[in-house]
Each structure stands twice: as structure tokens, then as C-alpha cells.
Amino acid sequence: MLNTMLFLHVLGAVGMGYYVVLPFMVGRASKLNGGGQGGLADGLVTANRIAQYFLIVQLLTGGYLMSQNDYAVAWMIIVTLLFLAIAAISGIMTKPLKRIVSSIQDGQSATAYIAKARVFSLIVLVLYVVVIYFMKFPF
């Protein structure tokens, strides 16, 4: 059972790897024309939803794995808070991504929404790298 959960946890971490490339993809949106921006943003919304399902996998398998070992309470709290921060910010980021699509369809500029999505994606990237660090070097 432990090996199965560990495999699913690693699979979830790979699925969350989307957050590593997201800032670059959002940055690319500003270089595209209106239709390209809308199409890219629509794809990013779908990919973000899939990554959020991987977050659920991480929550379930990570909780199980934490219960099977003796970790420091501070480490468990830090990792859980980082995980929740990633989940919250990636959820908040969905709105600007959807607004990019609707702005393009209405013929308006999506520059402000692209900037918001880029900031959120950079924050999620930093949090994801910090989580990976804590996973590799628990205390």
C-alpha cells in the first residue's frame, strides 16, 4: 500500500509540473494576437483544472504518507500551508484566465488580466519549488 501511495504521490507531483511552465505560457499570451490569446487562455484554464485534480491526489496521498512516518510537526504544518496556498492561488488564478477569453470575445484588451495571471502563476511557481525543496529535505 505504501508503494502504491508513493507512486500516486509522485504521479501527482508530475501532474503539478504544469505550474513550472505556466508563467512562461502566460507570458507568451501577451505576444499573440487576440484570437491566439483567447485560445491559449482557454487551454490554460483547462490545464489548470486538471492540475487542481492532481492537487487533490497530492492531498490524499500526502496525508497518508505523512501518517506513515515520523515527521516534525513544524514540517507537516509548513508543507500543508504551502500546499493550501498553491491550491488557493491556482484557484484564484482561474478568474483572470477566464477573463482573458471573455475580453477577447468582447473585443476588449486582455492585457490587465494577462498581467494578473502572470503574477499569480509566478507566485504558484515559487510555492511549488519551495514545496519540492521541503519534500526533498524534510527536517
Side-chain angles (χ1 to χ4, degrees), residues 18 29 32 35-47 96-101 104 114:
Y18 161 75
L32 299 173
Q37 286 177 345
L40 178 61
D42 190 41
L44 292 178
V45 168
T46 302
L97 290 173
K98 287 182 177 179
R99 292 284 176 119
I100 294 169
V101 176
I104 298 303
I114 292 171

Side-chain angles (χ1 to χ4, degrees), residues 18-93:
Y18 161 75
Y19 294 125
V20 173
V21 297
L22 182 61
F24 304 106
M25 295 173 72
V26 171
R28 178 77 176 132
S30 62
K31 296 180 178 107
L32 299 173
N33 64 10
Q37 286 177 345
L40 178 61
D42 190 41
L44 292 178
V45 168
T46 302
N48 192 42
R49 181 159 301 161
I50 293 168
Q52 287 176 337
Y53 287 127
F54 280 113
L55 279 167
I56 294 169
V57 170
Q58 292 300 91
L59 175 67
L60 297 175
T61 59
Y64 176 81
L65 292 172
M66 276 198 286
S67 72
Q68 299 302 308
N69 280 324
D70 188 30
Y71 294 108
V73 173
W75 181 86
M76 290 190 287
I77 291 171
I78 290 169
V79 167
T80 303
L81 289 176
L82 288 169
F83 169 81
L84 292 175
I86 290 172
I89 294 172
S90 67
I92 293 168
M93 182 175 50

Side-chain angles (χ1 to χ4, degrees), residues 19-21 23-24 86 120-130:
Y19 294 125
V20 173
V21 297
F24 304 106
I86 290 172
F120 285 135
S121 67
L122 286 170
I123 293 169
V124 170
L125 171 62
V126 169
L127 291 172
Y128 184 61
V129 169
V130 171

Side-chain angles (χ1 to χ4, degrees), residues 5-16:
M5 286 296 179
L6 186 60
F7 172 74
L8 290 174
H9 196 67
V10 170
L11 187 63
V14 170
M16 286 178 56

